[in-house]
Amino acid sequence: MKSAEFLDNLNSQFSVCDANMGKLPHRTRLEADVETGESILLMPKDVYGDYAEIGDVILFKKASKCRIKLINMSCKVVSLTRFAREYNSIIRQLSSAQHPLNRVILSCHRQHYLLKLPA
């Protein structure tokens, strides 16, 4: 199946729209709160786009003293070939109330599509 046919087929199974990828960083720097001195992570929509939403389950891995690596357990970014290869697993994860995954961003020919199961 060609990629255009595959994408057309997705419309019957998912809610599909163009994904806003923002300027998604692989690593980001924590900032200190002026009043409390706590480390905070700013997550503006123009930076994280559709990759991060309120209520997401996010894993942080410390890369150095002030830098972290963010892994969003609620949103996967996958290529078309990886999506096709892991399709059954992704569907199980999206369908499960116990799994945090609730959307997938499909990367295909420099285009990005946000996939969610219909409500």
Side-chain angles (χ1 to χ4, degrees):
M1 183 181 301
K2 295 185 179 181
S3 59
E5 293 173 17
F6 185 75
L7 290 172
D8 287 341
N9 191 29
L10 289 177
N11 283 319
S12 65
Q13 299 168 324
F14 296 94
S15 171
V16 181
C17 63
D18 287 334
N20 168 12
M21 292 305 286
K23 299 176 190 107
L24 190 62
H26 292 285
R27 294 184 187 196
T28 189
R29 181 176 290 279
L30 296 175
E31 295 185 13
D33 186 284
V34 178
E35 295 175 15
T36 65
E38 293 179 322
S39 295
I40 58 172
L41 173 63
L42 301 177
M43 297 187 72
K45 189 75 173 169
D46 62 330
V47 173
Y48 291 94
D50 289 321
Y51 182 68
E53 292 182 355
I54 294 172
D56 280 355
V57 177
I58 296 178
L59 174 67
F60 296 100
K61 291 189 174 182
K62 195 168 189 175
S64 68
K65 186 176 180 183
C66 297
R67 288 197 167 291
I68 58 167
K69 182 177 181 184
L70 179 147
I71 300 168
N72 190 341
M73 304 300 285
S74 300
C75 181
K76 262 186 189 178
V77 180
V78 296
S79 66
L80 181 61
T81 54
R82 182 173 169 205
F83 181 81
R85 189 174 57 246
E86 297 178 8
Y87 178 79
N88 289 334
S89 174
I90 289 171
I91 292 298
R92 276 195 302 274
Q93 292 172 6
L94 287 170
S95 302
S96 173
Q98 286 75 38
H99 199 282
L101 187 68
N102 61 28
R103 64 193 184 285
V104 173
I105 295 176
L106 179 62
S107 178
C108 177
H109 305 295
R110 297 186 185 192
Q111 296 287 337
H112 297 91
Y113 304 95
L114 181 64
L115 308 178
K116 294 182 180 181
L117 288 179

